[in-house]
Amino acid sequence: MRILSRVAGLLVMSLALGAASGVAQNNKAANLERQLFEATNRERTAHGVPALRWNEALAAAARNHANRMAQQDALSHQFPGEPSLPSRVRQTGARFVWLSENVALGPNPSFIHTEFVQSPQHRANLLDADMNEIGIGLVARNGRWFAVEDFSKAK
């Protein structure tokens, strides 16, 4: 009986440590998402484009897709069998007139932001004055961050 209690205690401790580790990872990702959001808005305002508002529903869609990219260990705007961007965003409850998306992979938000700014297509999404909301998702895998920026013109 005593052995069973010790095993149960170790199991509970192990689960608690795992949960704490997951919370710490989620907090880190949220902080890095905020950094990328701020860098995006600094870039926009430096070019005379209004700052974007954070949209948590867009962020949920972005996080889901970033997680899928991390699981696949690949960058893509849509994997086989995955819903389209508009469908993914609708599933989270976001309301929009128009959408665009940036995806990237890098060691940190600063690197990822630089990659977005240096790519003509990503830069066009980032500086699109018609877009007024953004959600960002970052998921870590093997020391790298899979990033998704979902932009919308909100309804």
Side-chain angles (χ1 to χ4, degrees):
M1 187 76 153
R2 201 181 263 183
I3 291 173
L4 188 55
S5 290
R6 287 185 185 163
V7 169
L10 287 173
L11 180 59
V12 167
M13 242 171 51
S14 175
L15 290 172
L17 288 174
S21 174
V23 168
Q25 187 68 20
N26 288 343
N27 286 342
K28 182 176 183 178
N31 288 335
L32 295 177
E33 289 168 0
R34 180 61 56 182
Q35 288 177 26
L36 194 51
F37 172 65
E38 290 168 359
T40 297
N41 275 334
R42 278 193 304 273
E43 191 73 27
R44 287 173 65 90
T45 57
H47 288 86
V49 180
L52 296 165
R53 292 184 309 266
W54 183 263
N55 181 304
E56 192 56 40
L58 285 174
R63 287 181 195 118
N64 290 341
H65 188 63
N67 190 52
R68 170 93 43 124
M69 290 191 315
Q71 288 171 351
Q72 299 285 327
D73 198 22
L75 293 179
S76 179
H77 289 283
Q78 185 177 9
F79 291 99
E82 182 182 30
S84 66
L85 174 61
S87 294
R88 292 192 314 257
V89 169
R90 273 190 214 98
Q91 288 172 353
T92 64
R95 297 175 50 86
F96 59 89
V97 175
W98 188 248
L99 294 169
S100 63
E101 181 177 70
N102 287 346
V103 299
L105 173 64
N108 57 57
S110 178
F111 177 91
I112 291 166
H113 179 70
T114 299
E115 291 293 309
F116 286 152
V117 169
Q118 291 177 351
S119 161
Q121 290 174 322
H122 293 109
R123 182 181 176 81
N125 286 341
L126 196 143
L127 297 177
D128 186 341
D130 287 334
M131 299 301 182
N132 55 18
E133 295 188 338
I134 188 171
I136 298 172
L138 287 167
V139 174
R141 180 164 190 234
N142 298 328
R144 302 175 302 161
W145 289 93
F146 289 83
V148 177
E149 292 181 330
D150 284 342
F151 302 88
S152 80
K153 179 174 183 173
K155 278 188 175 181

